[in-house]
Amino acid sequence: MKTLVIGTGGREHALALALSRDPSVTEVHAAPGNPGIGAFATLHTVDVMDPAAVAALATSVAADLVVIGPEAPLVAGVADAVRAAGVAVFGPSAAAAQLEGSKAFSKEVMAAAGVPTAGSRTCTTAAEAAAALDEFGAPYVVKDDALAAGKGVVVTTDRAEALAHAATCDRVVIEEFLDGPEVSLFAVCDGTGAYALQPAQDFKRIFDGGRGPNTGGMGSYSPLPWASADLAEIVIASVVQPTLDEMVRRGAPFVGCLYVGLALTETGPRVIEFNARFGDPDIQPVLAVLTSPVGELLAAAAEGEITRVERPTFSEGASVTVVLASAGYPESSSKGDVITGVEAADALDDVDVIHAGTAVDADGRLVTAGGRVLAVRASGADVADARAKAYAAADLISFDGLQRRADIASEPLGVIEGASLKESDH
Ligand code: AMP
Ligand code: GLY
């Protein structure tokens, strides 16, 4: 099977690497990819937001399976164009990607499907927003309805800050605050059914102890030894299957990864958000412990026949990913800082250095080229062992202004914050 991965970050590197380790995968192509992916796959230049260009590339490399990493091309209809060209694609249509593309749409689908989530109001005026804030009370959760590259959500106890964020949005979703540890659950969906991958947890804040601004994710681990063994099964039954059924009813079946961001509240798991793609870095440790072939799984889902493959299986061990970010992240990022130590770290047993924002400069040196630069992923017998290996490998890598958290997977997210069990509290 020839595969083509669309995107450029750590998620795409981890997916391409997992595909390259599947014996049924004969070729891995990526576009645009990154220098890390280029070490083992063929890279192509493409505008990922141009549906016709991606479809033409898929045809020209004779891809049997296209995997689209990020949300923006999905919302722009890239999967539709690839599918129309007769190539199997893992990633939802533009219509189905609205589960991520519009918070108001996803809340509407959840309500229709009876999925447990936070109560919410969709508002278009300042007066409606103020009334919704007072209805739910503090802490306030204010979400831009549109895709905002991770910057659309404000959680605050400051009513003025909540109102100010609402005023910057055309349409805003204001919702009830959900208290409890957050979990990322990835459901591989074929339009009518799904298999869950093993749950993971993502550390979102920039500083240790869950302090500082939100980022795209500073580290992750899987499995979650403290979570109940039937969590994935419960979420498939109470969230994923009803959502897939509702999307079928609406004529927009969901094929791809339904990323369920959950809060484990006192009344059970409730949905914080849906995304229409794998989470990054949350998917990275999950792929490291996945023991069944990922290419066959994604191809079966893309072709609407997920049950032709067995349920995914996972090793007894654990994996931990530590993100190395550049100076200024998350407000800004630094480009062109020379990176050293990647080869030495990558050569360690059970370690993969995943590229997220790197480039090769005119002198052939690996340099920073984004906010999240690298993710150091290690596997081990348990979380503590994987964590020790990940940090030992990360210690070998340096560049000016490197930022990383020291407490990834040291405790379940939430326990390190003390009283509250989550990172979103201010
Ligand atoms: P999102 O972009 O929807 O993932 O939101 C970013 C972060 O805001 C989440 O990971 C949570 O930590 C927090 N958050 C979003 N919605 C809620 C909610 N209803 N209750 C508590 N925290 C939330
Ligand atoms: N790590 C969170 C996300 O991918 O949205």
Side-chain angles (χ1 to χ4, degrees):
M1 170 165 55
K2 296 181 184 175
T3 60
L4 169 63
V5 176
I6 299 300
T8 185
R11 162 184 45 220
E12 289 74 27
H13 185 163
L15 282 165
L17 192 59
L19 287 169
S20 75
R21 292 172 178 170
D22 177 340
S24 73
V25 173
T26 52
E27 285 179 28
V28 182
H29 298 261
N34 64 41
I37 305 175
F40 62 90
T42 310
L43 302 186
H44 304 267
T45 306
V46 78
D47 174 0
V48 300
M49 296 300 289
D50 181 342
V54 176
L57 175 63
T59 306
S60 78
V61 302
D64 302 297
L65 173 68
V66 175
V67 180
I68 299 174
E71 63 275 17
L74 293 166
V75 171
V78 170
D80 305 72
V82 175
R83 213 166 272 133
V87 181
V89 52
F90 186 80
S93 66
Q98 282 303 302
L99 280 181
E100 174 164 6
S102 165
K103 304 252 184 218
F105 176 77
S106 79
K107 292 306 270 192
E108 190 192 308
V109 169
M110 284 190 249
V115 165
T117 184
S120 73
R121 299 279 174 265
T122 300
C123 311
T124 49
T125 68
E128 282 171 14
L133 292 177
D134 294 336
E135 178 186 350
F136 295 121
Y140 304 106
V141 181
V142 184
K143 301 185 171 183
D144 194 336
D145 176 51
L147 273 188
K151 298 217 161 100
V153 178
V154 166
V155 180
T156 178
T157 51
D158 180 343
R159 191 171 180 278
E161 188 190 346
L163 272 176
H165 182 57
T168 66
C169 312
D170 287 341
R171 202 148 78 121
V172 68
V173 175
I174 290 175
E175 61 182 47
E176 180 191 353
F177 179 81
L178 297 178
D179 205 7
E182 282 183 48
V183 169
S184 304
L185 200 278
F186 302 112
V188 174
C189 305
D190 76 350
T192 56
Y195 288 151
L197 303 183
Q198 187 168 274
Q201 214 177 18
D202 177 21
F203 292 69
K204 293 197 173 170
R205 301 278 180 160
I206 184 79
F207 300 130
D208 289 0
R211 289 174 299 107
N214 255 320
T215 71
M218 292 298 290
S220 53
Y221 69 102
S222 182
L224 312 177
W226 50 271
S228 76
D230 55 0
L231 177 62
E233 229 171 282
I234 290 170
V235 175
I236 289 286
S238 66
V239 175
V240 176
Q241 195 58 54
T243 299
L244 293 181
D245 295 345
E246 177 63 21
M247 293 302 283
V248 167
R249 259 196 295 282
R250 288 168 185 247
F254 188 95
V255 176
C257 174
L258 182 63
Y259 166 167
V260 186
L262 294 160
L264 305 187
T265 72
E266 282 177 355
T267 57
R270 292 168 76 186
V271 176
I272 285 187
E273 62 160 350
F274 281 149
N275 292 311
R277 39 125 189 127
F278 292 110
D280 191 28
D282 347 6
I283 190 60
Q284 296 188 26
V286 178
L287 291 172
V289 292
L290 178 70
T291 47
S292 49
V294 73
E296 288 180 21
L297 173 68
L298 302 186
E303 287 163 25
E305 299 175 349
I306 198 163
T307 52
R308 81 175 187 225
V309 296
E310 299 287 323
R311 234 163 246 292
T313 52
F314 297 87
S315 75
E316 294 289 307
S319 177
V320 171
T321 294
V322 177
V323 169
L324 311 183
S326 71
Y329 184 70
E331 285 82 10
S332 63
S333 64
S334 173
K335 290 188 173 31
D337 306 303
V338 175
I339 306 168
T340 59
V342 168
E343 279 182 23
D346 199 46
L348 295 176
D349 285 346
D350 306 323
V351 172
D352 292 306
V353 179
I354 307 286
H355 292 232
T358 65
V360 176
D361 74 4
D363 300 323
R365 299 173 304 183
L366 188 69
V367 295
T368 63
R372 290 183 293 173
V373 176
L374 297 164
V376 182
R377 179 180 71 177
S379 302
D382 54 24
V383 173
D385 185 36
R387 173 175 197 279
K389 287 180 184 167
Y391 276 103
D395 284 344
L396 300 178
I397 299 176
S398 59
F399 52 84
D400 278 352
L402 186 155
Q403 306 188 74
R404 71 180 207 207
R405 279 181 64 161
D407 62 349
I408 301 303
S410 60
E411 295 280 3
L413 203 168
V415 175
I416 53 174
E417 266 75 35
S420 173
L421 280 161
K422 62 205 308 296
E423 286 214 320
S424 61
D425 303 357
H426 284 246

